[in-house]
Amino acid sequence: LQKGAEGVVDVRPVSWDDIGGLDSVKLQIKQAVEWPLKHPEAFQRMGLSPPCGVLLYGPPGCCKTTLVRAAATACHSTFLTLSGAQLYSPFVGESERLISEVFQKARACAPSILFLDEIDSIVGKRSASGSRGVQERVLSTLLNEMDGVGVRLDEGTGGSQRVLEGSAAPTCIQVSEHTKVKKVREKTSVENKSVLVVAATNRPDLLDEALMRPGRIDRIVYVGHPDQQARHQILSIYTQGLKLHECSLDELVGQTDMYTGADLQSLCREAALCALTEDLSTSVVAGAHFQQALGTVPPSLTPDLIS
Ligand code: ATP
């Protein structure tokens, strides 16, 4: 990442209605992520402390990233992402510097959500033998940065609001109200410096306990695989633009027990491609195309991933 580079900033807006099922998870994420950033005054009125950081865990392809995007869209906050792959790329230079730059950027574009994807690959458990070189330094940089951010509640006196100094002055891209991409300059005022760190993992057992100390990650939400009702809703979402013929979503729900949301999305895409393969001028997808697609899109879930 170069200062001001846009590789860590994501702008695709997502609505809560784009997500099938997961009603109680959506509510938990609204409470932990959307409301503190969008309605800090309501938390203040009720004497509630907003979370410092939130961890989503659960099997891959089951919507963790998409849920956070939806929260970012709903509260019009900047959404920045960082993954282990970006961090340990041989092209980025010093990993600790990259982490600090991303946090600087998040502060400069606040209110913002900084999404640490596959956080276990960014920082795993420390080994009993001590230092792990770069990973050890990455963990300590991350912990320091996390200690300096959070959702600010304006208590009217100004006394409780920490002023974060030393930010770079990047231009960044913000998810806007009207789904347009707009450029925003660094905010020089201190009135809204809220940065909420949201991390995701499929392997919570691999995380260093220091991440879970008070003031760091203090809300944990399990994002499970889709049940029957959720699969029906997900299939409805991904077939809503299609003309279906002799196609029973209920039957498909029964046939997709170990499918993730991502698998169901692929299944619908594959069924549409099967229809086009037969007839490039058609706008109809038949049940038979879904049956064909089931043969080429297998489920990703295995019992060990959801136990
Ligand atoms: P990973 O752990 O592999 O990063 P993830 O849990 O973050 O995966 P996403 O990246 O959010 O999963 O989802 C992958 C794709 O599947 C996205 O395109 C997403 O929209 C779709 N998807 C997953 N679950 C659902 C769902 N419940 N409703 C609608 N789409 C879904």
Side-chain angles (χ1 to χ4, degrees):
L1 175 83
Q2 298 300 310
K3 202 177 267 181
E6 290 165 3
V8 293
V9 184
D10 206 302
V11 293
R12 187 166 67 88
V14 176
S15 144
W16 290 114
D17 293 336
D18 296 335
I19 296 172
L22 296 172
D23 290 342
S24 80
V25 171
K26 280 188 205 172
L27 179 61
Q28 290 179 71
I29 293 175
K30 284 179 190 178
Q31 290 170 339
V33 181
E34 179 188 331
W35 296 353
L37 287 169
K38 198 173 176 183
H39 306 291
E41 73 296 339
F43 275 64
Q44 194 181 351
R45 197 184 327 119
M46 292 294 176
L48 295 170
S49 319
C52 294
V54 179
L55 177 71
L56 308 185
Y57 75 100
C62 289
C63 217
K64 297 182 290 301
T65 312
T66 310
L67 285 158
V68 188
R69 283 171 188 266
T73 304
C75 60
H76 315 302
S77 69
T78 310
F79 180 55
L80 300 99
T81 67
L82 181 66
S83 67
Q86 283 169 296
L87 200 59
Y88 295 110
S89 154
F91 303 109
V92 298
E94 204 189 333
S95 304
E96 303 95 287
R97 183 179 51 78
L98 175 58
I99 291 193
S100 298
E101 282 188 3
V102 170
F103 272 87
Q104 271 182 9
K105 202 168 206 174
R107 287 193 289 261
C109 304
S112 52
I113 294 173
L114 175 48
F115 182 61
L116 304 176
D117 199 8
E118 295 172 13
I119 191 169
D120 52 287
S121 70
I122 298 175
V123 279
K125 273 196 202 307
R126 271 174 281 207
S127 67
S129 61
S131 174
R132 295 173 310 174
V134 65
Q135 275 189 295
E136 186 75 22
R137 296 198 306 270
V138 162
L139 175 63
S140 113
T141 309
L142 183 65
L143 296 177
N144 279 335
E145 293 288 354
M146 286 178 79
D147 289 342
V149 297
V151 176
R152 308 277 171 263
L153 299 184
D154 180 6
E155 294 186 356
T157 63
S160 67
Q161 209 163 34
R162 259 182 294 176
V163 180
L164 299 160
E165 292 176 335
S167 295
T171 298
C172 78
I173 295 176
Q174 190 175 42
V175 177
S176 84
E177 207 167 336
H178 305 295
T179 73
K180 283 185 203 143
V181 171
K182 69 180 179 191
K183 298 241 171 193
V184 291
R185 302 288 308 162
E186 179 193 18
K187 292 186 172 115
T188 47
S189 79
V190 296
E191 74 234 16
N192 197 346
K193 286 288 185 185
S194 293
V195 175
L196 187 55
V197 173
V198 183
T201 183
N202 310 321
R203 294 291 309 271
D205 54 306
L206 292 182
L207 297 182
D208 196 289
E209 301 84 56
L211 277 169
M212 306 297 174
R213 299 237 171 91
R216 291 169 187 163
I217 288 173
D218 51 5
R219 298 288 154 87
I220 301 181
V221 180
Y222 177 66
V223 183
H225 66 289
D227 60 13
Q228 289 201 0
Q229 198 191 2
R231 294 204 297 279
H232 198 285
Q233 286 180 19
I234 296 169
L235 287 166
S236 301
I237 288 169
Y238 290 117
T239 54
Q240 67 190 355
L242 303 175
K243 274 190 206 154
L244 298 180
H245 174 69
E246 291 182 358
C247 176
S248 157
L249 293 190
D250 286 336
E251 186 188 351
L252 283 173
V253 165
Q255 294 174 300
T256 50
D257 189 27
M258 299 295 264
Y259 281 65
T260 63
D263 295 336
L264 294 170
Q265 186 180 15
S266 302
L267 183 73
C268 295
R269 194 184 305 121
E270 189 59 32
L273 282 174
C274 289
L276 285 180
T277 306
E278 263 175 38
D279 176 2
L280 259 183
S281 63
T282 191
S283 52
V284 174
V285 185
H289 298 127
F290 279 92
Q291 295 308 314
Q292 222 178 312
L294 282 168
T296 49
V297 181
S300 311
L301 293 173
T302 51
D304 58 306
L305 281 174
I306 56 177
S307 59

